[in-house]
Amino acid sequence: MQVQKSASGTRQPAWQASSVRDDPAGFLRHLFQVAVDQASPAQGLARHLPQPPKGRTLVLGAGKAAASMAQALEALWPADAPLSGLVVTRYGHVPPREPHVRQHIDVLEAAHPVPDAAGLGAAQRMLELAQGLGADDLVLCLISGGGSALLSLPAEGMSLEHKQAVNQALLASGASIAQMNCVRKHLSRIKGGRLAAACHPARVLTLAISDVPGDDPSIIASGPTVADASTCEEALTILQRYGIALPDKVHAALQAGQLETPKPGDARLAGHELQLIATPMQSLKAAAAAARSAGLAAYILSDAIEGESREIGKMHAALARSAACEQACADLGFIRPCVLLSGGETTVTLKPVAPGRPAGRGGRAGEFCLGLAQALQGQPGVWGLAADTDGMDGVEDNAGASVRPDTLARARALGLDVAEHLDRNNAYDFFEALGDLVITGPTHTNVNDFRAILIL
């Protein structure tokens, strides 16, 4: 098989229709890698870097891609232009440094998805660095998914332990990313535009990698540099809907509107800019182009799919089974062989664990694959893959999992019941036993869920 260089410089196989049929699972892994490569911070930053200002350039950032974005910026920034700052990323998400690139930006690591003291310390340091800036200074904010947990500076009257408890409850509730971030903004001293307000009167340019459905910049990492249209009242409604308690003092402050965020039109945010340097749709388009270059038709269903992971898996299975049927395929306008691609951010509502039973392991991508496999029922000619583009499916060490026509048959041979594993949110153990976990390690970027269904 021939090889070609990917956008990140790695050598990728040049797939053809015959090789896709020989290794369908490998081809889906290839499409995933193409999607990840498209979201490389170095590519996006090179297109959007401004000229150095008259004054200082301060870099502040947070997210799973923050360290790789900082390194890319250091490599691209003019050698004679001053540069300093601080970013925070998830533990283990700092890429190897190029030996010839001098470090100007401090990199801290903290916990995700539940915040810890390291993230709190990083947020405090950023607000301190923002003090004393002038109108001739430039603040480059490098923002990517995961920043909500990594920038944890609880509201007045709220301890880190309280913030951790609220975060854990939100993650287990099935709340959407927009709902979670509405709450996070109002329980923070740095999110929801507060970081940008602290930088006034300096100019702020935010360079962001989107990991949210619809690419709403106010939701990415809870929008630390973006004006927030949501309200304290909305945050309270969300907390009440999911039965999440707050300390009395914080609850009263929300009710009184004392924890309100900077709103659109706030003078402190005037003149600020935001550029999206990588998005889910860009990665899906790159994967679609790679599929077409291998002789397959490619269909992007959406880059903004939300909902329960297992139910989204069943929906994809219904489309795949129709596409695998010759008449239905024609009626739907699909041409086989083809690939169905989608992105977005699904959710997993954790079920209560029965006494004496171990808690399940796994994230959104794995649960999607459980739902997909269950609904496909061994459909011949259909393969699937779902993975998170940051390389971490929830808190486990896998990016996701893959599904094959014989997934259920192999599971039965091992005594594995797909329904029982779904009932316990236990995708990790199911696919680990089958040898079908997708493990990449941290990718140093994040445009959220990637799903590909191959129909031959």
Side-chain angles (χ1 to χ4, degrees), residues 51-73:
Q51 293 296 315
K54 293 180 181 179
R56 293 195 296 144
T57 299
L58 175 68
V59 179
L60 302 175
K64 297 173 188 174
S68 57
M69 293 174 80
Q71 290 188 16
L73 174 59

Side-chain angles (χ1 to χ4, degrees), residues 14-384:
W15 290 82
Q16 299 175 340
S18 58
S19 54
V20 172
R21 292 184 180 278
D22 291 340
D23 186 8
F27 178 67
L28 291 179
R29 287 287 299 268
H30 165 65
L31 294 185
F32 174 61
Q33 188 60 53
V34 168
V36 169
D37 287 344
Q38 176 62 37
S40 164
Q43 278 203 96
L45 281 169
R47 295 192 298 268
H48 294 285
L49 274 193
Q51 293 296 315
K54 293 180 181 179
R56 293 195 296 144
T57 299
L58 175 68
V59 179
L60 302 175
K64 297 173 188 174
S68 57
M69 293 174 80
Q71 290 188 16
L73 174 59
E74 288 167 334
L76 293 165
W77 198 248
D80 58 349
L83 188 70
S84 64
L86 170 70
V87 301
V88 58
T89 193
R90 182 176 178 170
Y91 291 120
H93 281 243
V94 179
R97 173 170 288 278
E98 294 292 336
H100 64 281
V101 178
R102 182 181 172 191
Q103 182 170 356
H104 300 270
I105 304 163
D106 292 338
V107 178
L108 300 180
E109 295 177 88
H112 179 280
V114 178
D116 68 356
L120 187 150
Q124 289 175 323
R125 278 191 58 188
M126 284 187 199
L127 288 184
E128 291 167 2
L129 289 170
Q131 300 303 305
L133 293 170
D136 289 335
D137 296 329
L138 170 67
V139 181
L140 288 177
C141 286
L142 308 179
I143 302 299
S144 57
S148 293
L150 295 164
L151 279 182
S152 183
L153 194 58
E156 198 69 39
M158 191 173 196
S159 69
L160 176 61
E161 290 74 24
H162 288 141
K163 192 74 177 286
Q164 290 170 328
V166 170
N167 216 57
Q168 287 175 317
L170 285 168
L171 289 168
S173 70
S176 70
I177 186 62
Q179 290 174 321
M180 286 193 282
N181 283 357
C182 174
V183 172
R184 288 164 169 166
K185 291 175 188 179
H186 289 90
L187 299 182
S188 170
R189 282 180 278 157
I190 195 167
K191 302 185 184 80
R194 290 185 176 93
L195 177 59
C199 295
H200 181 77
R203 175 191 170 209
V204 176
L205 171 60
T206 302
L207 301 175
I209 294 178
S210 173
D211 70 325
V212 301
D215 300 330
D216 183 345
S218 72
I219 298 177
I220 303 167
S222 297
T225 62
V226 181
D228 175 40
S230 70
T231 65
C232 287
E233 183 179 359
E234 289 171 333
L236 265 179
T237 299
I238 293 165
L239 290 164
Q240 291 165 354
R241 174 179 176 180
Y242 293 105
I244 300 172
L246 291 176
D248 290 343
K249 182 177 179 180
V250 179
H251 188 274
L254 270 181
Q255 281 188 315
Q258 295 170 356
L259 302 181
E260 206 50 271
T261 48
K263 301 301 176 201
D266 190 305
R268 294 169 298 174
L269 277 58
H272 293 185
E273 298 177 57
L274 183 143
Q275 299 286 341
L276 294 177
I277 68 168
T279 68
M281 181 56 79
Q282 290 171 359
S283 285
L284 291 175
K285 286 182 176 179
R292 292 175 186 129
S293 71
L296 282 71
Y299 306 96
I300 298 175
L301 304 178
S302 172
D303 68 337
I305 293 177
E306 298 181 84
E308 280 291 324
S309 293
R310 64 181 67 192
E311 300 305 322
I312 301 302
K314 293 173 184 177
M315 179 269 286
H316 280 67
L319 284 173
R321 294 186 74 172
S322 294
C325 170
E326 187 170 342
Q327 183 56 52
C329 183
D331 292 340
L332 290 170
F334 292 143
I335 299 172
R336 284 170 41 205
C338 66
V339 174
L340 310 181
L341 299 164
S342 72
E345 182 160 11
T346 60
T347 54
V348 174
T349 302
L350 298 179
K351 295 190 175 184
V353 179
R357 298 182 73 189
R361 298 192 297 161
R364 302 190 304 262
E367 184 134 334
F368 169 91
C369 287
L370 278 181
L372 177 71
Q374 184 184 53
L376 281 174
Q377 288 295 304
Q379 175 72 46
V382 177
W383 283 258

